[in-house]
């Protein structure tokens, strides 16, 4: 009997009164929101239920509620373990939000002892922040003519709604936005959040800073084409020259320090005279 009454109410739609202004509610993927019926009626409650608008524009998707008794047995599995109706607050608690939960909802509030029903319409907007983009760099020596060429990759995860990927390129005092086609976007099957990635190729002739942004989240800048800078080349030459000088100096110092020392040789005549002077037998014979 309860099920028949509930289906009859949902099919015919109540005669409603109250404000028709849409309440804007914002939720985040994985978190919770509360949808509260906007009514000041203090009469005992006969029924409160929440429905979502379908693709045909009709509020026919039962989210949760009660009519005299619980309607838990009639809930879709999509909402069975993620929603709860608070009879006292006349509200719907909605947690573990998904991207697919975005849309319009209506609260039907039915006091006892009256044929009047009250409704409140909500527009639930779901968002999720993208991760800080990760940028990878690979020098491509065989893809540019007269310039250095780099293959850059950018990826960001867990965002909603789907956002464009763009590059910011800074060359000296010039900065420009680069939006290339061909980005790859995939949605998570459970939560509906998006993963976005792209690979581009850039040629440059001077030091250049590059960053990537997705959904308003910007990566730290990376530097490319450093090798093509005359100043950088000059510094490299100076450093190499200093290192070579230090190496030569150390080598010569070691060579001089470890060279064998030689005592000077005395002449044969001088050594003979000295030997005779010091040999006693020679002295005796002379005498």
């Amino acid at each position: 009997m309860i099920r028949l009454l509930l289906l009859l109410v949902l099919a015919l739609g109540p005669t409603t009164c109250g404000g028709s202004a849409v309440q804007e509610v914002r939720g985040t993927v994985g978190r919770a929101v509360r949808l509260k019926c906007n009514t000041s009626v203090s009469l005992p409650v006969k029924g409160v239920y929440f429905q979502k608008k379908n693709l045909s524009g009709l509020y026919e998707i039962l989210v949760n509620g009660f009519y005299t008794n619980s309607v838990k047995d009639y809930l879709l599995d999509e909402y069975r373990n993620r929603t709860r109706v608070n009879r006292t607050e006349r509200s719907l608690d909605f947690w573990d939000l998904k991207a697919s939960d975005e849309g319009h909802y209506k609260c039907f509030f039915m006091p006892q002892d009256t044929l009047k029903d009250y409704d409140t319409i909500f527009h639930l907007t779901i968002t999720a922040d993208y991760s800080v983009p990760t940028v990878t760099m690979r020098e491509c020596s065989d893809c540019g003519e007269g310039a250095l060429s780099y293959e850059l990759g950018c990826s960001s995860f867990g965002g909603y709604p789907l956002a464009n990927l763009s590059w910011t390129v800074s060359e000296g005092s010039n900065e420009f936005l680069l939006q290339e086609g061909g980005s790859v976007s995939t949605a998570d099957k459970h939560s509906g959040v998006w993963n976005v990635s792209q690979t581009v190729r850039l040629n440059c002739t001077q030091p250049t800073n590059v960053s990537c942004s997705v959904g308003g989240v910007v990566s730290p800048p990376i530097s490319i084409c450093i090798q093509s800078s005359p100043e950088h080349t000059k510094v490299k030459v100076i450093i190499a020259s200093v290192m070579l000088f230090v190496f030569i100096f150390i080598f010569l110092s070691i060579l001089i320090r470890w060279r064998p020392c030689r005592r000077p040789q005395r002449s044969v005549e001088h050594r003979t005279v000295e030997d005779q002077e010091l040999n006693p037998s020679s002295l005796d014979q002379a005498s």
Side-chain angles (χ1 to χ4, degrees):
M1 183 64 181
I2 295 175
R3 182 175 182 179
L4 179 60
L5 290 174
L6 176 63
L7 295 176
L8 182 62
V9 170
L10 296 179
L12 297 179
T15 303
T16 60
C17 58
S20 59
V22 178
Q23 292 189 19
E24 294 291 338
V25 181
R26 293 186 177 275
T28 304
V29 171
R31 298 186 180 181
V33 294
R34 170 172 287 186
L35 308 180
K36 186 175 181 180
C37 294
N38 184 20
T39 177
S40 59
V41 177
S42 59
L43 296 174
V45 178
K46 178 173 56 178
V48 173
Y49 57 95
F50 292 79
Q51 293 176 263
K52 183 181 181 182
K53 182 186 291 187
N54 60 19
L55 296 178
S56 300
L58 302 176
Y59 292 92
E60 294 183 343
I61 303 174
L62 178 62
V63 178
N64 207 331
F66 67 92
Y67 185 78
T68 305
N69 291 310
S70 173
V71 296
K72 186 177 181 180
D73 295 337
Y74 315 122
L75 299 182
L76 297 175
D77 292 338
E78 176 72 13
Y79 307 109
R80 187 177 299 278
N81 298 317
R82 298 195 298 128
T83 60
R84 179 180 58 246
V85 171
N86 188 318
R87 299 194 182 198
T88 304
E89 296 288 336
R90 301 163 185 173
S91 61
L92 174 74
D93 292 326
F94 207 155
W95 61 88
D96 192 18
L97 292 172
K98 305 177 183 179
S100 58
D101 294 327
E102 189 171 69
H104 285 83
Y105 294 80
K106 181 178 285 190
C107 163
F108 294 99
F109 167 64
M110 295 166 285
Q112 288 184 356
D113 304 325
T114 179
L115 296 178
K116 291 183 178 180
D117 296 331
Y118 300 83
D119 69 74
T120 306
I121 299 176
F122 308 91
H123 179 229
L124 177 59
T125 302
I126 302 296
T127 61
D129 293 332
Y130 282 88
S131 64
V132 176
T134 300
V135 179
T136 58
M137 175 183 65
R138 184 181 71 87
E139 184 175 348
C140 184
S141 58
D142 58 346
C143 355
E145 296 181 0
L148 289 176
S149 181
Y150 289 84
E151 187 176 83
L152 304 175
C154 175
S155 58
S156 181
F157 305 93
Y160 187 84
L162 180 61
N164 293 326
L165 186 152
S166 60
W167 300 85
T168 300
V169 181
S170 301
E171 294 181 342
S173 59
N174 299 321
E175 181 177 296
F176 59 92
L177 188 66
L178 180 65
Q179 288 185 319
E180 295 283 343
S183 61
V184 179
S185 304
T186 57
D188 182 82
K189 293 181 179 180
H190 174 71
S191 63
V193 298
W194 288 96
N195 304 326
V196 183
S197 62
Q198 187 181 67
T199 300
V200 297
R201 184 172 294 167
L202 291 179
N203 297 330
C204 51
T205 57
Q206 59 179 320
T208 303
N209 291 328
V210 181
S211 61
C212 169
S213 64
V214 182
V217 184
V218 184
S219 71
I222 63 171
S223 298
I224 61 175
C225 293
I226 301 299
Q227 293 89 333
S228 61
S229 169
E231 293 80 5
H232 184 76
T233 303
K234 184 178 180 179
V235 171
K236 288 175 62 177
V237 171
I238 294 175
I239 294 176
S241 301
V242 172
M243 292 180 64
L244 179 62
F245 174 79
V246 172
F247 174 78
I248 294 175
F249 176 79
I250 295 175
F251 177 77
L252 293 176
S253 300
I254 295 174
L255 184 64
I256 295 174
R257 180 178 179 181
W258 291 100
R259 189 179 65 177
C261 297
R262 293 184 178 181
R263 296 179 59 184
Q265 293 182 354
R266 292 173 296 179
S267 62
V268 176
E269 295 79 4
H270 183 69
R271 186 173 66 249
T272 303
V273 172
E274 287 182 350
D275 292 342
Q276 290 177 356
E277 290 178 351
L278 297 177
N279 191 337
S281 61
S282 299
L283 293 176
D284 294 337
Q285 292 176 2
S287 62

